[in-house]
Amino acid sequence: MNEYLIQTKDLNFQFNNKRKILENLSLNIPKGSIYGFLGPNGAGKSTTMRLITGLLNEQQNESIYLFGETLSKQLPQIFKRIGSIIETPTLYLHLSGYDNLKLIATIQEVPNSKIQEILELVELSKFQKQKAKQYSLGMKQRLAIGMALLNDPELLILDEPVNGLDPQGIIEVRQLLKKLNKEKGITIFISSHLLSEIEKTCTHVGIINQGKLLFEGSLGDLGNKNKNITVDIILDEVEKYHSKLNGFEVTQIDSKTLQFVLDNEKEIPELIQNLVQNDFQIYGVNKRGGLEDWFINLTDKK
């Protein structure tokens, strides 16, 4: 069995001859993963997802593989194995949550008995008779994900699923995606510009810029490539401590902040202890690093 549910092999795409949107893009989305697809605006994320879901046609043959076979050879039956939300979810706001699901179930020839199962899964059973226009943004997004789940997909493809949601809505969608992955075994391919959310949700990431893949692997792999941790120490007044900074590699940010670059986060307690022993009056400690800093470091190089 192929260990990857999605693969692209030297995928290229352009709308005109002036600029390539995607250039030799080779992705490998492991079976059973939650794969975060990251990149600045215009990097090619949505174009990639539209190609994988067949909303755009490939411009060369055999560049996209799903479940170990080329996409072109599996159309249209492949979509019985996939659920997706690309761009804005399509909801019928004048219908109840139940009737939105029933409409899709009818189109897909899914038995109505499946509807209650989905409502419970996305935690909308109590609101199933309520019209979708009365739902919060988070509830609407969970309903849309429920509609994508009616055909019991093995693969779920979501483009910016938490875009515009309030913090509670973001948490609800995050919990749902983790539940789908852990309990249902669904592989999830998700794009987002919210790096902190990707870090909390995903097992693997791919980072692209200007249509080119900069990094792909697990979050642990990315962390190993970007080990430095930046720590900001907030003091009452930096000038008091200049004479005590011998031996420290430090940058002064402003009159009350010193910035230290460490090899890893295990050095933070040692740094704090050293500063306290040298009579530094510490008012705050801010650690920086993680996916956001790694992302910036990668994309700023291009």
Side-chain angles (χ1 to χ4, degrees), residues 172-264:
E172 290 170 352
V173 171
R174 181 204 311 154
Q175 292 173 339
L176 174 58
L177 296 182
K178 287 186 172 183
K179 181 179 180 180
L180 294 173
N181 179 253
K182 183 177 181 180
E183 297 182 8
K184 298 291 185 179
I186 299 174
T187 301
I188 301 173
F189 182 37
I190 172 177
S191 75
S192 179
H193 66 279
L194 298 178
L195 304 182
S196 61
E197 191 58 26
I198 288 290
E199 192 167 14
K200 293 173 184 175
T201 305
C202 296
T203 61
H204 294 72
V205 293
I207 299 175
I208 66 169
N209 194 19
Q210 298 177 8
K212 298 178 181 179
L213 185 66
L214 305 183
F215 172 85
E216 183 180 61
S218 69
L219 284 174
D221 292 336
L222 185 57
N224 289 334
K225 290 175 69 69
N226 299 272
K227 291 184 178 180
N228 287 348
I229 298 292
T230 301
V231 178
D232 292 341
I233 304 294
I234 302 171
L235 309 166
D236 57 339
E237 183 58 56
V238 166
E239 295 298 326
K240 293 182 182 180
Y241 306 99
H242 271 281
S243 62
K244 301 179 180 181
L245 288 173
N246 293 335
F248 294 108
E249 293 186 10
V250 60
T251 300
Q252 181 173 338
I253 302 300
D254 55 41
S255 62
K256 295 187 176 183
T257 307
L258 293 173
Q259 185 175 93
F260 298 82
V261 178
L262 308 178
D263 288 336
N264 57 69

Side-chain angles (χ1 to χ4, degrees), residues 4 6-9 24-30 33 35-38 48 52 189 203-208 212-223 225-226 298:
Y4 301 113
I6 302 175
Q7 287 183 290
T8 66
K9 299 182 179 181
N24 298 324
L25 182 66
S26 295
L27 299 176
N28 297 280
I29 289 78
S33 67
Y35 185 106
F37 194 36
L38 302 172
T48 302
I52 290 172
F189 182 37
T203 61
H204 294 72
V205 293
I207 299 175
I208 66 169
K212 298 178 181 179
L213 185 66
L214 305 183
F215 172 85
E216 183 180 61
S218 69
L219 284 174
D221 292 336
L222 185 57
K225 290 175 69 69
N226 299 272
L298 278 174

Side-chain angles (χ1 to χ4, degrees), residues 35-79:
Y35 185 106
F37 194 36
L38 302 172
N41 288 337
K45 302 189 301 298
S46 292
T47 298
T48 302
M49 288 189 153
R50 288 167 68 86
L51 285 163
I52 290 172
T53 53
L55 294 175
L56 287 175
N57 294 324
E58 291 181 73
Q59 293 179 335
Q60 77 256 43
N61 293 326
E62 300 188 354
S63 294
I64 300 173
Y65 289 74
L66 297 179
F67 307 101
E69 299 288 342
T70 58
L71 173 62
S72 58
K73 292 180 180 179
Q74 300 181 77
L75 294 172
Q77 65 271 21
I78 185 65
F79 298 113

Side-chain angles (χ1 to χ4, degrees), residues 97-109:
Y98 180 92
D99 285 339
N100 267 274
L101 288 166
K102 184 176 180 180
L103 179 61
I104 301 303
T106 301
I107 293 171
Q108 295 184 347
E109 299 181 346

Side-chain angles (χ1 to χ4, degrees), residues 265-288:
E265 62 182 9
K266 293 181 180 179
E267 294 185 358
I268 295 176
E270 181 181 343
L271 170 66
I272 301 300
Q273 183 179 14
N274 203 324
L275 294 176
V276 170
Q277 289 175 348
N278 281 278
D279 299 322
F280 282 67
Q281 299 296 312
I282 299 173
Y283 286 79
V285 179
N286 296 321
K287 184 191 80 170
R288 294 194 289 167

